[in-house]
Amino acid sequence: MRLIQYLEEGQPRAALVESDEAVRPIRLDGGTYALARLAIASGQSLQAVIDVRLDDDLVDYQQLIDEKRLLPPLTHPDPAHCLVTGTGLTHLGSADTRSAMHAKTQVSETELTDSMRMFKLGVDGGKPAPGETGAQPEWFYKGDGACVVPPEAEIPVPPFAEDAGEEPELAGLYVIGDDGRPWRVGYAIGNEFSDHVTERFNYLWLAHSKLRACSFGPELLVGELPDHLEGVSRIVRGGETVWEKPFLTGEANMAHSLANLEHHHFKYSGFRRSGDVHVHFFGTATLSFADGIQTRDGDRFEISLPTFGRALRNPLRFETETPPIDVKSL
C-alpha cells in the first residue's frame, strides 16, 4: 500500500495510490497524521482505518503535480513537532566499491580515520542478534518540519553553502503515541541534501553540513520493506541528464539493521514525546559529489525506486541574499 498527501482547500488530504495516473482520496481531515493517530488510538491497523474511508472518486495524480499541490506524505500540523534526523556510514556501498571498503578495514586500528572506525563498528556490530544491542551509528540532526520541501518543489541553497549535493536515501516516517511508543507509519524515498565540501573539510563540521533543506516522498510505502532495493539517482540540467548512477539500499546493502538504527534514535526520551512526527534518514553510498559534479541553479534532482512508485523530483534554487544576523542584548 502506498499513500500520498496533497492540498485540498488549503488542508492536507491523504490518498491511496491506485496507479501512476490516479489516487483515491481518504475521507478523514488531517491527512496521514490523523490516520496514524486514529490507528494508534483505536488499536487498528492503518489498512483497516483507511479501507472504510476511501472515496468513490479518483483524483488525477499528474494534475496534483501540475498544480503544485503535492505535500510530503507525512506532516505534523505544527512543523516544530516534526524532527528531521538521520544516520551516516550505514551502507556497504555498491558492488564495485564494497571490496575496497572492506580492504581498508583490514589495516591496524591506529591507522583508521575516525570515519572508517565508525564504519567498521557498524560492519562488525550493526546487526545484533534479537535481544542484543548493536553498535551506535553516526547520528545527525537536520532541523524541524520547516526544513522539509514538498516533492516537485524547489530546494533552497543558502548563500553561505559551499556545495549543494543530493543524497538518495530511504527515510523512516514515525508518529509517537500518547504512551511514548514510536509507531512506524512507513517508508519513503528521501533526498537528504547536504553540503559535502563543508563536510569533507573536517568531519567536525558534519553538523553544519546537514542543516539544510531536504525532501521525501512523494509516496509513503506502508508495510514490510524489501531487503534489497535498487534505484537510480540523476541530475537533469536544461532537459538533459548530466549525471546518473544506480544506488543500492535496504538491509542487505547496509552495515546496520533498521531496527538497530531505530533503537539508537528512539532510546532518547526526548525523541519519544507524545504526538511528535519523526523523519529519519537511513544513509546512502551514492553521491554525485564523489564523481566531481557541481550543481547549478535550476538543476533538478530525480531519485527513483520502483517499489516506491513515482520518483522524488526537486529543482534547485540558489539564494543570493542572506538575512542580516543582528543579535541584540536584552
Side-chain angles (χ1 to χ4, degrees):
M1 182 172 67
R2 304 197 308 276
L3 306 176
I4 68 163
Q5 268 197 144
Y6 63 94
L7 281 173
E8 182 182 77
E9 297 181 352
Q11 299 299 317
R13 173 69 63 192
L16 179 70
V17 178
E18 295 271 346
S19 68
D20 285 344
E21 290 76 37
V23 300
R24 190 176 299 278
I26 302 166
R27 291 302 160 192
L28 180 68
D29 292 342
T32 311
Y33 179 74
L35 287 169
R37 293 281 288 172
L38 179 59
I40 294 168
S42 65
Q44 301 179 78
S45 68
L46 194 59
Q47 179 83 60
V49 169
I50 289 171
D51 284 346
V52 297
R53 291 171 172 81
L54 289 172
D55 202 291
D56 292 334
D57 298 323
L58 295 175
V59 172
D60 186 276
Y61 199 162
Q62 187 59 46
Q63 184 176 347
L64 293 176
I65 295 173
D66 294 342
E67 294 175 352
K68 301 186 184 302
R69 293 166 60 193
L70 277 184
L71 293 172
L74 176 64
T75 51
H76 193 285
D78 178 2
H81 283 277
C82 172
L83 296 179
V84 186
T85 56
T87 53
L89 301 172
T90 54
H91 282 63
L92 297 172
S94 58
D96 60 342
T97 60
R98 187 177 305 158
S99 59
M101 294 172 71
H102 280 288
K104 291 179 182 178
T105 66
Q106 302 304 309
V107 300
S108 68
E109 289 290 334
T110 57
E111 294 176 307
L112 291 176
T113 64
D114 287 342
S115 293
M116 189 54 67
R117 188 176 292 111
M118 181 69 72
F119 172 74
K120 188 175 186 297
L121 282 173
V123 171
D124 293 342
K127 295 183 177 180
E132 297 182 0
T133 299
Q136 293 189 112
E138 178 189 65
W139 181 96
F140 59 83
Y141 172 69
K142 282 198 69 71
D144 63 18
C147 79
V148 178
V149 174
E152 302 291 328
E154 294 177 326
I155 293 179
V157 182
F160 56 79
E162 300 287 343
D163 175 53
E166 86 299 332
E167 292 201 7
E169 309 188 15
L170 289 177
L173 310 180
Y174 307 85
V175 172
I176 309 300
D178 289 340
D179 60 355
R181 172 179 291 179
W183 291 85
R184 187 191 317 108
V185 183
Y187 304 92
I189 301 172
N191 183 353
E192 193 254 297
F193 190 64
S194 293
D195 183 339
H196 301 105
V197 171
T198 294
E199 178 183 350
R200 289 196 176 183
F201 179 79
N202 188 304
Y203 74 95
L204 293 176
W205 282 358
L206 176 72
H208 288 283
S209 75
K210 296 299 185 182
L211 287 172
R212 301 290 187 274
C214 63
S215 188
F216 63 91
E219 302 184 19
L220 185 161
L221 177 69
V222 179
E224 293 300 314
L225 185 74
D227 285 340
H228 177 78
L229 291 162
E230 299 183 29
V232 174
S233 182
R234 65 175 59 88
I235 297 173
V236 178
R237 179 178 298 159
E240 296 185 1
T241 299
V242 295
W243 178 86
E244 181 177 283
K245 200 165 190 175
F247 68 94
L248 303 177
T249 190
E251 284 196 359
N253 302 294
M254 296 174 66
H256 291 263
S257 65
L258 296 181
N260 190 53
L261 300 179
E262 291 173 335
H263 167 78
H264 284 295
H265 178 66
F266 290 113
K267 69 184 180 184
Y268 298 104
S269 60
F271 296 155
R272 301 194 304 273
R273 185 172 55 188
S274 172
D276 280 2
V277 165
H278 285 255
V279 179
H280 196 63
F281 287 94
F282 291 129
T284 188
T286 304
L287 309 170
S288 64
F289 176 76
D291 292 335
I293 299 296
Q294 291 184 316
T295 54
R296 301 176 185 173
D297 187 67
D299 285 355
R300 186 175 71 238
F301 296 128
E302 296 184 359
I303 302 171
S304 60
L305 276 168
T307 303
F308 286 79
R310 286 199 179 224
L312 173 61
R313 307 192 312 173
N314 297 96
L316 277 177
R317 183 186 77 248
F318 280 68
E319 298 178 330
T320 56
E321 295 185 4
T322 302
I325 309 300
D326 185 15
V327 179
K328 296 186 181 296
S329 179
L330 289 173

